[in-house]
Amino acid sequence: MNTFSTDRAAIDARLAPAALTAWATTILAIVGGSVVAFLVAGLATLAAVVVWRFPNYRKTPDDRKNLAAFRRVVAVALMFGATCAIAGGFSAQSIESHPLRDVAPHESVTVVADVRTDPQLLRNQHFGQPRHVLRAHIVSVTQTDHTVTASGAITVIATGEHWADLLPGQRISFTATTREPRRKDFTVATLFTTGTPDTVRVPQRAQRIAYHVRSSFKEVVHRTLPASTAAILPGIVIGDRAEMSEDTRSAFVTTSLTHLTVVSGTHVTIVCAAVLLSTRFITGSRRLSVLLTAIALVWFVIICRPEPSVLRAAAMGTVTLIALLSGRRRHALPALCAAVIVLLVVRPQLAVDLGFALSVTATAGLVLATPPLTNALTRRGVPDGLAAIIAVSTAAHFATAPIIAGVLGQFSVVAVLANLVVAPVVTAVIILGYLGLVLAPLSATLAAVPIWLAGHPTSWILATAQWCAALPNASIEVPRGIPGAVLMVIVTLAASALIWAKRWRLLVLVVAVSVAAGWAVARVAFSATIPTGWVVAACDVGQGDMFVHATGPQSAIVIDVGPAPDLADSCLRTLGINTVDLVIITHFHADHVAGLSGVFTGRNVGAVAIGPGQDPQSGFDDVVATAQKTGVPIMEIRLGDEVDLPATTLRILGPNPDLAPYLSPNDQSVVVSATTRVEENESMTLLFCGDIEFEAQQWLLDHAPEALTADIMTVPHHGAATTLPQFLHAVAPEIAIISAGRDNTYGHPHTEVLDALESMNAHVARTDVHGLITVRPTSHGVQIVGEYANVPLS
């Protein structure tokens, strides 16, 4: 029997405009601020009144009835939009007037706040104390002995081991410096701690119980299962991915199986359905089983942490469960729309949350597209069970594909296959895992049984992710932004035509037109991003550095290679680079060297150049091993060296080879001045600074200030507040390029660096804002072209 009803009753979409309008006005409130929000609320209210009161001149009763129904839908949508805009406006207003917004950068404040999430260890740390990131809700702020009561969400970047054991619900006091939040989502500020936390109030009993349950479960998992499987099962059961390796995470992303390792609507649906059916069988009472399921859902949220992502999953899972139990899509869409509206009212920041958008679109795809797709497959002879599994995987994947393409610039070719292969075991893993979770605090021996049983299908999921991710072209790149989203919509329409087309001629025509349109969109997107004649490019590699200096139409020098091989390879392919004359590694932190193998992929590489510093040793060893594996020679460059390449001369300005062994890894960075000929009698100077900090910058100012002047510079250390203003003034760049990851937890680039560059009238280009950046000379000066937005020049 099919999971969904085969009836063709009309879908009740009357609440959909209200949900979409509420979503849109909430986004406007977040992005535009309180003034825009209240203006939108007023206009929406006025429009609702006009629509509601507009005279109905239709002649026939049916026409008048239909128009009246349409007007009600529009008026209700506008009123919901106005309500959310007002709520968002008050939230924006409270943040705009928050006392933390008046605190100067680097000024210390004492904050009392309630912890809202578990501290997450920041990855790719190679030196210093461990750093954690957590979300909290502020209670009060003390500045120079003046304490004010305050409220609002904050992001805390905490340094030190003492932060690792904090629990949600715990009230703490700590000192920190403040920065503006990296993104607009009703977050008041980002705080960087300068000490250890003091407990003001212990967590509530429910949170302490949840911690005991989680820790007991993880302890039994690690005692029962192999390390590779034990790192994944907590993610599938409670969304704890802390011990998953980077390779495993990458495989799950490539195969679109990440939704299994976070708390999603699928988890809620399976858990609630299992509880509902079992309690109904045991008690025989429908009402009692529903009540017990509701209690189980509440505890599910508490155990998995009542974070926005978990609340979102609970709402979306409940909607899917309603669709499953009712057997009618007619009930599911209104439930989904109502859940969206309620979530936006309770947590308005979800309006700009990627996970929320993915959850909503995936759920919409499940409740709307799965039934007809299942029926279409069964009519073509596919068995009912297999048809349902294929339909669910396909609907969820293609419903979310436009968003993933627009934001991440990728499309998983193997996603449907991977999800199809793991689908038969997912339910068993989740049910057995949650049974082990319940038993773990009671008896480790009893809990070990379902956990051991869950380990076998979990290993199957891991093997599937690794095997599918290793397939050729498992994930393909598409244009980011609107072009990528449009391309995926076209692909989805073509896939729909493949399923439902009854005439082969029509099918061939649709597919041909879709492919041609997709190719055109991709060509327009990429050609618009990469201008001809560019001199230097900053690759968007996230939180890391990778700069490319052109030496010919398809050749270049690469300075640092970013944190991931696929990102390095992708950037060079986008730029059309087939030959790399020289790779310069400024220093050996992972965010500068881990992508080296991606540079070697399918290209001729002349040599890898390194400086006198070799810290950290792990990064140095990786670079040497990668170069030796591919047969690329390694050369050492030192202070005063000059390297002549086609149309470019490189001069090494630092570090001092006598001091390098005693410097920090950042201050060991090779500093390179490149003079390139852009026309017959004109040249341009570029300064690549690596991650040099105060000590190295001061040495350069003392020993070679005249050599620092450059037309274009890469701002040291991703724009961190470790740059001397006098160093920037000595360089006096016309263009300053900053490579930093979007929403990075380090606060890069820092406000004081941006202010210093602005005071010098330098044009700032940032990979976290502009994406891939290219700079080219023109007859009118230079042009800075960004992947997402160009940098205006006055």
Side-chain angles (χ1 to χ4, degrees), residues 9 82 176 297 338 476 478 530 544 550 561 590 615 655 672 678 719 742 770 776 784:
L297 179 60
I476 60 175
V478 296
I530 309 302
V561 292
D615 293 327
V672 182
V678 294
R742 281 179 292 278
H770 304 106
R776 69 164 182 168
I784 309 174

Side-chain angles (χ1 to χ4, degrees), residues 213-337:
V213 171
R214 290 167 65 98
S215 58
S216 300
F217 170 71
K218 292 177 66 177
E219 182 178 347
V220 177
V221 167
H222 283 284
R223 285 193 336 213
T224 306
L225 301 178
S228 59
T229 308
I232 297 173
L233 187 60
I236 296 177
V237 177
I238 55 177
D240 187 340
R241 302 187 296 165
E243 298 181 18
M244 287 179 62
S245 67
E246 288 295 338
D247 290 340
T248 302
R249 287 172 181 251
S250 177
F252 273 75
V253 169
T254 300
T255 56
S256 288
L257 292 176
T258 306
H259 64 94
L260 297 180
T261 60
V262 296
V263 178
S264 67
T266 301
H267 294 69
V268 177
T269 302
I270 293 174
V271 171
C272 289
V275 173
L276 183 66
L277 294 175
S278 59
T279 54
R280 178 71 180 273
F281 176 78
I282 295 171
T283 65
S285 170
R286 180 180 179 182
R287 291 184 178 180
L288 182 58
S289 63
V290 171
L291 176 62
L292 292 174
T293 302
I295 294 173
L297 179 60
V298 172
W299 273 105
F300 171 88
V301 172
I302 293 174
I303 297 291
C304 295
R305 304 304 194 207
E307 302 174 9
S309 60
V310 178
L311 296 175
R312 176 193 72 223
M316 296 301 109
T318 303
V319 169
T320 305
L321 187 63
I322 291 173
L324 289 169
L325 294 176
S326 67
R328 297 183 179 182
R329 291 182 290 156
R330 181 179 180 83
H331 294 165
L333 186 58
L336 173 62
C337 295

